[in-house]
Each structure stands twice: as structure tokens, then as C-alpha cells.
Amino acid sequence: MDKEPETYEELIRMKRCVDLTKYYELTKEELDTVYNFLLANKNGIIKANKNSITLMIGNNISTAQVINARCKTSTVDGLVMSNTIFNVINHYTSSSSSGRSSGGSSSNNNNNNNNNNNNNNR
């Protein structure tokens, strides 16, 4: 990526590679590998998870190249990148509280109140 982009397509590809470094620790050589892969493979796809970046053509995992790269942030689980897309997969943490348990206990309280009212009316 030492050369200046000459086309809009090259500029976008370079920007996506720079954006990749916001999320993953990469050497200059690894970044050049990603850029050159996308340059050579118009249908190339890059899929990243917490510990690695996989360069593949289509969904063909058998010919994929893997770069060991650590994700810089815990807010991201991975990303998908190509010559046409750049999608970050954000980390999702479910809430520890559950609406079911509180709803269940309140309905039991209503049943107990109804039983008490029925007993008092007799």
C-alpha cells in the first residue's frame, strides 16, 4: 500500500484496509497481503473473528489464507470485508435480568390476592 491510489476503486480499497487496522493488530506486510488479495481477487472475501483474518474467494474455505491477528477491542466479534462491503460484527451481550421471573411472581401474587378475597367474601 505504498503507492498512491490512482482510481476511486483503489482509494476505497485502501480506506477499507486502513479501517481494518482500527479493529485488528496487523503488520505492514499483513496489511499489504490483505490489500493485494483484494486487488487480485475481485470476488475475494475477508472474514475476521477475534483471533484471525481469513482471506478466501467466495465461500471456498479449502483455498483460504489465514492471518493470525488479534482484535483490538472487545466490542467487536469480527468483520466481513470485500471490494464492495465493510461490515463490522458488534459484540452482543444479553441482559442478565429476565422479564419472565418477575412476571411469574407478580401473577402468583395476583392469584394469592384473589384467593384471599374469595375467602374473605365467604
Side-chain angles (χ1 to χ4, degrees), residues 96-109:
S96 62
S97 65
S98 172
R100 264 188 194 172
S101 63
S102 63
S105 63
S106 64
S107 66
N108 287 340
N109 288 340

Side-chain angles (χ1 to χ4, degrees), residues 1-2 5 7 22 35-38 41 44 46 51 56-57 61 63 82-84 91 95 98 104 106-107 112 117:
M1 288 186 21
D2 290 333
T7 65
K22 293 178 184 177
Y35 180 86
N36 291 329
F37 173 80
L38 289 174
N41 301 290
I46 296 170
N51 303 313
M56 55 191 184
I57 300 171
I61 196 82
T63 60
S82 72
N83 282 306
T84 58
H91 181 71
S95 174
S98 172
S106 64
S107 66
N112 288 339
N117 289 338

Side-chain angles (χ1 to χ4, degrees), residues 3-115:
K3 71 174 197 151
E4 289 293 318
E6 296 177 7
T7 65
Y8 180 73
E9 184 180 83
E10 289 175 356
L11 179 66
I12 296 301
R13 185 180 304 114
M14 188 173 286
K15 181 189 180 317
R16 287 190 176 125
C17 287
V18 169
D19 287 346
L20 182 64
T21 64
K22 293 178 184 177
Y23 300 101
Y24 289 88
E25 294 176 358
L26 293 167
T27 66
K28 182 188 177 313
E29 292 76 24
E30 291 168 335
L31 191 58
D32 286 341
T33 299
V34 170
Y35 180 86
N36 291 329
F37 173 80
L38 289 174
L39 179 64
N41 301 290
K42 298 299 178 199
N43 294 324
I45 297 174
I46 296 170
K47 293 185 178 181
N49 59 32
K50 287 286 194 186
N51 303 313
S52 66
I53 298 173
T54 305
L55 290 63
M56 55 191 184
I57 300 171
N59 287 324
N60 190 355
I61 196 82
S62 64
T63 60
Q65 179 182 357
V66 177
I67 298 172
N68 291 323
R70 189 176 70 81
C71 188
K72 291 180 178 181
T73 175
S74 62
T75 61
V76 172
D77 282 341
L79 65 82
V80 177
M81 175 176 143
S82 72
N83 282 306
T84 58
I85 61 169
F86 188 92
N87 290 332
V88 176
I89 303 166
N90 292 315
H91 181 71
Y92 174 75
T93 305
S94 64
S95 174
S96 62
S97 65
S98 172
R100 264 188 194 172
S101 63
S102 63
S105 63
S106 64
S107 66
N108 287 340
N109 288 340
N110 288 339
N111 287 340
N112 288 339
N113 287 339
N114 287 339
N115 287 338

